[in-house]
Amino acid sequence: MYRCTECNAEYDEYPDFCDCGNDQFEEIIEEDLNKENNYNDEEDYPAYDEDEALTPKELAEIEEEKLEKKKSLIAAGISLLLCFLIILLPPHMKHKVQEDNTSVAKKIKIPTVNSYWDDTLPNVPLLNERFAGISPKLRDYLVSIGRQLNTKWSTSLVEQPGECLVQFILNKAGRLDVKTIISSSGNQNLDDSVSILLTNTYGFHNPPEDYNGEKIYILFSLDKNGVSKVSYPSYSE
């Protein structure tokens, strides 16, 4: 087919002249014609699927997600800006910021030992009451525990002397199963130092076979000269 370049009249064969008098024509390829017909055919357009439409809840979730991304970007931008400002601060101002951070850290209060130690111990015999009658292996084992605790006990921040009595039980692997301060020294710093020590002490070597899970009492004492001592007092409930 051929189409007039002036009036767009179409002819099956190439004519000499169009009815409008024009003698210029362009050939219409069949594929192009099919495309034009397809564009005008409504049935070939994809049907609108109502099931694919977003619900108001889904739209709200998308908007909320966009808002969260914006907040994250804003927070990241503020953080970068603060970093640049700190870098550009004069030396004396940087020192001031560090001092402020240190003062905030000092205000954080360490929880007392009683807030996270288990003070519910099973009803078992007291090992200290029969300390003289235990086997040499178990006696040496307890002495080694006392020495290790005394070596690891940090009293550098303890200002006042005092005595703190601790009670715990070992499992078969030598780990501290249950522990508590049953007699406070009245000195919070000393009690905290003992708390930190036993919290960071996960256990010892496997105890001898004749240890049957008896309660073990250890006395942590610090004198006015700063000399620390760990001992096994004679104690009964």
Side-chain angles (χ1 to χ4, degrees):
M1 293 187 67
Y2 299 90
R3 179 183 295 155
C4 175
T5 59
E6 290 292 333
C7 66
N8 293 329
E10 297 181 356
Y11 299 89
D12 293 334
E13 297 181 356
Y14 195 96
D16 292 333
F17 292 95
C18 179
D19 293 341
C20 67
N22 180 36
D23 60 352
Q24 300 294 323
F25 300 88
E26 61 180 1
E27 185 178 3
I28 303 175
I29 301 174
E30 186 175 357
E31 292 181 358
D32 296 338
L33 183 61
N34 290 335
K35 289 182 179 179
E36 292 180 2
N37 292 334
N38 288 336
Y39 290 148
N40 294 325
D41 190 353
E42 293 182 356
E43 294 181 355
D44 291 337
Y45 283 97
Y48 176 74
D49 189 354
E50 293 183 356
D51 294 337
E52 294 182 356
L54 297 176
T55 64
K57 181 179 180 180
E58 291 173 334
L59 290 173
E61 291 177 352
I62 293 175
E63 291 299 325
E64 184 177 355
E65 184 178 354
K66 291 180 179 178
L67 181 61
E68 291 297 328
K69 289 182 178 179
K70 289 181 180 179
K71 290 181 179 179
S72 298
L73 291 175
I74 293 173
I78 293 174
S79 298
L80 289 174
L81 179 60
L82 291 175
C83 290
F84 283 120
L85 290 176
I86 292 175
I87 293 174
L88 296 176
L89 284 175
H92 68 280
M93 292 296 293
K94 292 181 181 179
H95 184 66
K96 175 63 176 175
V97 171
Q98 293 176 351
E99 287 181 349
D100 292 341
N101 292 335
T102 303
S103 63
V104 171
K106 289 181 179 179
K107 293 179 181 179
I108 300 176
K109 186 177 180 180
I110 299 176
T112 62
V113 61
N114 293 327
S115 65
Y116 55 88
W117 274 17
D118 185 2
D119 58 358
T120 58
L121 296 174
N123 185 20
V124 294
L126 308 180
L127 183 60
N128 296 53
E129 289 185 344
R130 61 184 188 89
F131 194 87
I134 63 178
S135 68
K137 287 185 179 180
L138 184 54
R139 184 183 183 90
D140 293 341
Y141 180 78
L142 293 179
V143 171
S144 68
I145 288 179
R147 288 175 178 172
Q148 291 180 56
L149 291 175
N150 194 33
T151 301
K152 295 169 59 177
W153 184 23
S154 176
T155 59
S156 58
L157 300 179
V158 182
E159 299 176 355
Q160 299 295 330
E163 292 184 344
C164 176
L165 185 61
V166 172
Q167 173 183 269
F168 60 82
I169 291 177
L170 301 174
N171 63 15
K172 293 181 179 180
R175 294 179 65 88
L176 300 174
D177 265 355
V178 283
K179 48 198 170 182
T180 184
I181 291 179
I182 61 173
S183 178
S184 171
S185 65
N187 182 348
Q188 187 65 51
N189 288 339
L190 193 151
D191 289 351
D192 286 343
S193 68
V194 174
S195 165
I196 293 172
L197 168 65
L198 292 185
T199 300
N200 294 331
T201 301
Y202 301 104
F204 308 94
H205 295 298
N206 296 351
E209 295 180 357
D210 56 333
Y211 173 69
N212 297 316
E214 298 96 335
K215 297 176 185 177
I216 299 174
Y217 291 91
I218 295 185
L219 183 67
F220 291 83
S221 58
L222 184 71
D223 62 24
K224 61 181 180 180
N225 296 320
V227 178
S228 61
K229 182 180 180 182
V230 176
S231 59
Y232 295 88
S234 177
Y235 182 87
S236 60
E237 293 180 321

